Amino acid sequence: MRFPASTPPAVPAGTLTTGPQPTLFAADGLVLRPWADEDAPAVLAAYQDPEIRRWHTRRPASEKQVREWFAHFRRAWRQATGASWAVTRDGEVVGRMVLGGVNLDDGEAGCAYWVVPAARGAGVASGALRALSAWALGDGRLHRLWLDHSTGNVGGAGSWATPAVRRCCSARSPPPGTRWSSPASSTR
């Protein structure tokens, strides 16, 4: 059951998706871009990795299904409910970064990712997370992000364990007169 809000939305409808999904640039040559149908083989191959399969509950069974996922990601962007980016380096898909669970009323969303085995340990997840966080808390005008990450995933812990990622991925100060459920998580 949803109860009526007592304050206006923290992020007005239409703010997040004022145009096409942006391409984001990160350190070390990482580029976060919207998925293209031509990326389907790379995604299907990534989901053959046992660690990606272990930590992600949904798995594509075919390139056709991956392309259906891409269509869903495009719809989610238009509806301001989420976004998914291919994380690339030198034009090659090395990971995925997701902004999901978007709640415009509270101005918050979650982040999740995976990185292909050959690119692990090279700062891909943390670099992509910083780029997404900078955009989401800046131009995206969100107020809080959380990282959807299992504490049991010891191998992936490095992406969120750095102070820079904890700062960019937790929160920013709330605007005056808006609701804020966890002031302790503010970074200012």
Side-chain angles (χ1 to χ4, degrees), residues 15-113:
T15 301
L16 187 66
T17 58
T18 57
Q21 183 177 334
T23 295
L24 309 173
F25 299 92
D28 299 324
L30 291 175
V31 177
L32 285 69
R33 60 165 174 76
W35 291 101
D37 286 345
E38 298 76 32
D39 296 322
V43 171
L44 190 60
Y47 275 90
Q48 302 313 305
D49 173 58
E51 287 301 299
I52 290 176
R53 293 175 70 88
R54 178 178 181 196
W55 300 110
H56 293 83
T57 58
R58 290 173 183 82
R59 299 177 189 126
S62 66
E63 288 181 20
K64 179 180 183 271
Q65 188 175 33
V66 173
R67 288 188 296 276
E68 290 169 357
W69 285 12
F70 295 165
H72 169 78
F73 299 156
R74 289 187 283 274
R75 279 191 305 277
W77 174 258
R78 288 190 304 271
Q79 296 168 355
T81 58
S84 182
W85 283 264
V87 180
T88 65
R89 179 178 278 148
D90 299 324
E92 179 182 348
V93 173
V94 294
R96 174 185 92 148
M97 185 59 62
V98 174
L99 185 69
V102 175
N103 177 336
L104 299 178
D105 286 340
D106 294 328
E108 62 185 21
C111 303
Y113 61 85

Side-chain angles (χ1 to χ4, degrees), residues 2-3 8 66 114 186:
R2 272 187 73 88
F3 295 98
V66 173
W114 52 250
S186 179

